Amino acid sequence: MKIGISCYPTFGGSGIVATELAMALAEGGDEVHVLSYALPSRLSLVDPRIFFHEVVAAHYPLFEYPPWSLALASKMVDVFHHHRLDVLHAHYALPNAVSAVLAKQILAPRPVPVVTTLHGTDVTLIGNDPSYLATTRWGVLESDAVTAVSESLCRATLEQLCLGDKPVEVVPNFIDPRRYEAARHLPGARRWARPGERLLVHISNFRPVKRLLDVVEVFARVATRLPARLLLVGDGPERARAEQRCRERQLGDRVVFLGNFPAIEEVLVGADLFLLPSESESFGLSALEALSCAVPVVASRAGGLPEVVAEGENGFLLPVGDVDGMAAAALSLLADPERHRRFAEHGRQWAVTRFDEASVVARYREVYARAIAAAHRREGRG
Ligand code: GMT
């Protein structure tokens, strides 16, 4: 199959999932064309079946905001036509799905099957903002197949976008076990720890929805009881407030801000606990990545996190904002090495078996085949 994948290139989960999927499809024999405004952080171009197409939104003095979604649609038309693609897969509704549907209309009556994968904030936060709702909904309704990364997001999509009987299929995110296997024997997170210290890690884009200050508060409570260090991986708008809170709580160098870090297995392997106290989280890819590195998770019981973290078996889930509860859960696990070992092992097995790359990639191939059949039927060529 020849597949066009459009995604964000930054460190967010949707770009990572799209990139890992592109590489897995290419490894399995498909030809994959990735479209984005910059090279996605994890995309390796060494596979001759992977091609990258940079989307450039040309500037013009009249444009206060260059119309990136139109540049993307034009690039989709160009790549679909000249590389004779079979399907376009848009990751994140805004603007990827909308641009893909535009490309489909531009190329009509030639069938352009569009698959849209919803990742979370494209429905629950920005996609349902009144300034975007109508276009988000249109992009989703006009897609030939729509997937959501969790049951929770699937329900939220049907409710918030009022999709009627439009089918939305759940295809969960996945991990590539080899990535974590390869890091297993590295010093990993221990590089940042002093002897005897317990290591807590948080990874995100530091947006308000991640509740970074809760991460600091949970850690502050843990650090009064145990020698511990917190690694904060990522960057974003809440960083300055988190740094300020660390100073107020006199945490000094016990909190390390690492910035964006593409090979996150290198900071997860060897850590003792992963914290993800988000306000909402459609899936929580970073929690799954932690589990796959044998790191138990303490998180909020929000969105799709209960589908990713097995409560009481590889992590604990507490109400959003319950920093005392999260600190107590963290301390109980850190104080019990035998239970911690069981949680870590369970997490690793759980991630590898329930979210394994091969079966998820096979699910996407089935979705593509159905979308192709539907688009060709619609254009009377099936
Ligand atoms: O908000 C983010 O973390 C970024 C966003 C994205 O699109 O990159 O993440 C969403 O998609 C990820 C991949 O499917 C999910 O693992 C995250 O849970 C989801 N974020 C939210 O729902 C807040």
Side-chain angles (χ1 to χ4, degrees), residues 12-15 17 92 119-121 149 173 205 209-210 280-285:
S14 58
V17 170
Y92 211 84
H119 281 273
T121 46
V149 296
N173 291 332
N205 49 22
V209 70
K210 302 293 177 181
S280 81
E281 200 70 68
S282 70
F283 184 90
L285 181 65

Side-chain angles (χ1 to χ4, degrees), residues 58-378:
H59 279 269
Y60 186 69
L62 272 182
F63 296 160
E64 177 146 357
Y65 308 104
W68 143 254
S69 43
L70 302 185
L72 177 58
S74 302
K75 182 63 89 178
M76 285 170 163
V77 167
D78 183 78
V79 174
F80 193 92
H81 178 67
H82 290 291
H83 293 273
R84 312 185 74 76
L85 300 189
D86 296 301
V87 62
L88 281 178
H89 188 177
H91 284 262
Y92 211 84
L94 280 180
N96 298 285
V98 175
S99 300
V101 171
L102 269 178
K104 163 159 105 166
Q105 296 196 341
I106 293 166
L107 285 166
R110 179 170 171 185
V112 177
V114 172
V115 174
T116 291
T117 290
L118 302 169
H119 281 273
T121 46
D122 48 351
V123 171
T124 58
L125 248 167
I126 190 66
N128 69 14
D129 185 279
S131 55
Y132 294 117
L133 179 59
T135 31
T136 309
R137 188 166 177 273
W138 179 76
V140 171
L141 279 171
E142 293 297 317
S143 298
D144 296 285
V146 181
T147 73
V149 296
S150 65
E151 298 284 350
S152 154
L153 179 61
C154 182
R155 283 192 298 274
T157 303
L158 294 172
E159 275 164 35
Q160 297 181 25
L161 298 187
C162 304
L163 293 184
D165 58 3
K166 176 85 185 169
V168 178
E169 188 175 340
V170 176
V171 180
N173 291 332
F174 59 93
I175 48 118
D176 172 1
R178 290 165 303 180
R179 180 181 279 278
Y180 306 101
E181 206 50 57
R184 229 183 151 125
H185 304 292
L186 298 175
R190 305 307 316 171
R191 277 183 281 235
W192 286 272
R194 297 195 187 139
E197 272 182 348
R198 315 312 295 270
L199 263 173
L200 286 73
V201 178
H202 167 81
I203 302 173
S204 76
N205 49 22
F206 293 13
R207 301 202 185 279
V209 70
K210 302 293 177 181
R211 296 183 69 98
L212 193 58
L213 296 188
D214 284 7
V215 175
V216 174
E217 287 300 330
V218 171
F219 176 73
R221 286 158 175 74
V222 169
T224 58
R225 307 280 297 278
L226 295 169
R229 193 166 295 267
L230 172 65
L231 300 183
L232 290 173
V233 183
D235 216 325
E238 288 293 285
R239 178 168 175 164
R241 270 171 23 103
E243 284 172 337
Q244 175 63 22
R245 182 64 62 90
C246 290
R247 286 190 282 270
E248 286 161 13
R249 304 294 253 121
Q250 301 187 325
L251 293 168
D253 68 356
R254 278 178 295 166
V255 180
V256 184
F257 286 81
L258 285 179
N260 284 319
F261 207 99
I264 50 95
E265 61 277 13
E266 298 235 4
V267 288
L268 282 170
V269 163
D272 295 297
L273 214 54
F274 186 76
L275 299 175
L276 193 62
S278 310
E279 183 84 37
S280 81
E281 200 70 68
S282 70
F283 184 90
L285 181 65
S286 57
L288 179 61
E289 292 181 313
L291 294 174
S292 74
C293 290
V295 182
V297 174
V298 171
S300 49
R301 193 175 292 110
L305 279 169
E307 298 168 48
V308 176
V309 178
E311 165 101 73
E313 292 187 287
N314 56 40
F316 291 111
L317 298 172
L318 283 301
V320 173
D322 183 4
V323 290
D324 288 326
M326 291 181 195
L331 282 163
S332 76
L333 201 53
L334 294 173
D336 184 345
E338 178 46 32
R339 197 174 186 210
H340 183 275
R341 196 196 53 73
R342 270 189 281 116
F343 269 48
E345 187 48 35
H346 184 284
R348 166 125 193 104
Q349 287 305 323
W350 168 267
V352 169
T353 51
R354 283 182 79 117
F355 301 95
D356 108 276
E357 182 181 273
S359 47
V360 176
V361 171
R363 294 273 308 279
Y364 275 120
R365 281 207 180 91
E366 287 165 22
V367 174
Y368 295 158
R370 269 185 275 125
I372 292 168
H376 283 253
R377 253 195 323 272
R378 208 186 35 251

